[in-house]
Amino acid sequence: MSDNQVIQNSGPFRIGDRVQLTGPKNKLNTITLEPGKGFHTHRGILAHDDVIGVPDGSVVTNNVGVEHLALRPLLNDFVMSMPRGAAIIYPKDAAQIIAQADIFPGATVVEAGVGSGALSLWLLRAIGPAGRLASFERRSEFADVARDNIATFLGSDPANWSITLGDLADTLPDTMPAQSVDRVVLDMLAPWECLGSVSDALKPGGVLLCYVATVTQLSRVAEAIRATAFYTNPDSNETMVRGWHVEGLAVRPDHRMIGHTGFLITARRLAPDTILPELKRRPSKTDFSDADVEAWTPGALGERSVSSKVMRKRVRMAETGAAISKARGLDAGEPDDLAPNAR
């Protein structure tokens, strides 16, 4: 862990820190601390200078006496509020990816695509400074947003992380030697198109995990994994999270829950020339026609795109956050950063 990461997550609030403010009605707002600036609401103004230098977990008061709880955002909070180029992997799925793919400190991990960088942050935290994360992304604007989001949260560009632009199937062989990768996480529309390159890069016993959104994608990638004969039989599942309201004797499930977001499907790489024993099971409908395959293609599935205007705005937001965070990191350790409320 770098010095910047320690400063980001502990100690009094500093210039450039992101702060999560919780108001009287439990409404959350996240701000980046800048000298002389203010957080404006319809119930007054909270000066950033009144937050700079106070301990994490403090209650601060705005100019009309309204109190706000000030906390550094957890990674869970940050990924849900950061600028997005592409849709993010929710924390509930990120946690399962870390567990089911067995992402460990020091691991060499390949990730595609990088999206807005949410999963990249979780993976970087799991592999630690001794690990290596190689991310691949087809769209340069998504890569830019992800790079800035990660720099915003960590305060610098991680030395053990790289982004390669281009299709994974074409660029992975030139980036990672054969049998050099411990884990591969694929978050893309058609992961079956990359299985050849991924199979070459994975070490025997390594884990392949695919995150897909629809049942047709799930079926297609499962059959494609089996067809390679390079993997164990794939396991698939989804995760749903239901919160509970607990206040005195009023204990009940929340009216809203985070339901389906995506499926996880995992398999492990077999050793070369290994033939997996055939499972004994009842016959089932495993055949599919050309028409079925066509329905599974990326063109038929469709891909929601972000307008160029919205994308440019999100890129600017991510760049601004990264610049402030990096500037804070360069100035770390100077006593002026803690003024005016430093003790």
Side-chain angles (χ1 to χ4, degrees):
M1 181 178 290
S2 70
D3 292 340
N4 287 336
Q5 288 171 286
V6 174
I7 293 170
Q8 180 81 17
N9 295 316
S10 63
F13 293 120
R14 309 173 69 91
I15 294 171
D17 275 352
R18 292 175 68 85
V19 178
Q20 182 174 276
L21 299 173
T22 305
K25 295 185 178 181
N26 210 33
K27 183 178 180 181
L28 302 180
N29 288 278
T30 302
I31 64 173
T32 300
L33 294 178
E34 300 179 67
K37 294 294 183 69
F39 169 63
H40 294 251
T41 72
H42 68 286
R43 300 187 65 188
I45 303 171
L46 176 63
H48 289 206
D49 289 338
D50 292 340
V51 182
I52 296 170
V54 303
D56 198 350
S58 297
V59 173
V60 290
T61 306
N62 70 6
N63 66 326
V64 295
V66 176
E67 295 182 332
H68 295 264
L69 174 62
L71 289 164
R72 278 191 176 85
L74 303 176
L75 179 52
N76 177 77
D77 303 317
F78 177 80
V79 299
M80 295 302 293
S81 62
M82 68 187 189
R84 301 182 187 181
I88 65 166
I89 288 182
Y90 271 63
K92 73 179 182 71
D93 292 320
Q96 289 297 316
I97 288 171
I98 298 298
Q100 294 183 33
D102 190 38
I103 309 296
F104 58 91
T108 298
V109 180
V110 165
E111 171 203 20
V114 70
S116 300
L119 182 60
S120 303
L121 282 166
W122 291 106
L123 293 173
L124 284 167
R125 175 170 286 183
I127 64 176
R132 178 186 177 190
L133 176 61
S135 300
F136 294 78
E137 176 57 56
R138 291 185 304 165
R139 298 182 58 171
S140 60
E141 61 270 31
F142 287 178
D144 290 340
V145 170
R147 189 178 291 109
D148 289 333
N149 281 334
I150 289 173
T152 298
F153 187 78
L154 299 180
S156 63
D157 297 318
N160 60 340
W161 178 56
S162 63
I163 298 183
T164 302
L165 289 176
D167 288 332
L168 180 69
D170 300 327
T171 55
L172 183 59
D174 298 329
T175 307
M176 307 298 292
Q179 297 188 14
S180 65
V181 177
D182 297 301
R183 307 289 187 259
V184 174
V185 180
L186 301 181
D187 172 21
M188 55 176 57
L189 200 60
W192 51 87
E193 295 177 350
C194 304
L195 291 180
S197 298
V198 166
S199 301
D200 291 339
L202 265 175
K203 297 177 181 178
V207 179
L208 166 66
L209 184 146
C210 301
Y211 176 88
V212 293
T214 69
V215 292
T216 49
Q217 290 171 295
L218 178 66
S219 176
R220 178 68 186 274
V221 72
E223 295 306 321
I225 289 173
R226 291 190 180 101
T228 65
F230 293 150
Y231 295 91
T232 60
N233 282 302
D235 293 319
S236 57
N237 60 77
E238 65 175 331
T239 302
M240 297 184 183
V241 175
R242 183 175 72 173
W244 279 70
H245 172 88
V246 181
E247 189 172 338
L249 297 179
V251 180
R252 55 169 176 74
D254 285 341
H255 297 306
R256 302 178 66 182
M257 67 176 290
I258 303 176
H260 173 76
T261 49
F263 299 102
L264 302 183
I265 181 165
T266 58
R268 299 191 67 179
R269 181 69 164 91
L270 298 173
D273 303 322
T274 297
I275 299 176
L276 189 68
E278 186 175 352
L279 291 177
K280 294 182 180 180
R281 63 177 76 183
R282 294 180 179 179
S284 61
K285 292 183 178 181
T286 58
D287 294 332
F288 45 88
S289 66
D290 291 342
D292 295 327
V293 173
E294 175 59 26
W296 283 328
T297 59
L301 291 171
E303 183 176 9
R304 290 190 299 177
S305 59
V306 180
S307 70
S308 58
K309 180 179 180 180
V310 172
M311 192 67 237
R312 288 195 299 270
K313 179 180 179 181
R314 294 178 179 177
V315 169
R316 289 195 301 270
M317 290 171 61
E319 287 176 346
T320 300
I324 294 172
S325 189
K326 286 181 179 180
R328 185 278 321 280
L330 292 175
D331 295 336
E334 297 179 7
D336 289 345
D337 284 355
L338 293 176
N341 293 308
R343 298 289 185 267

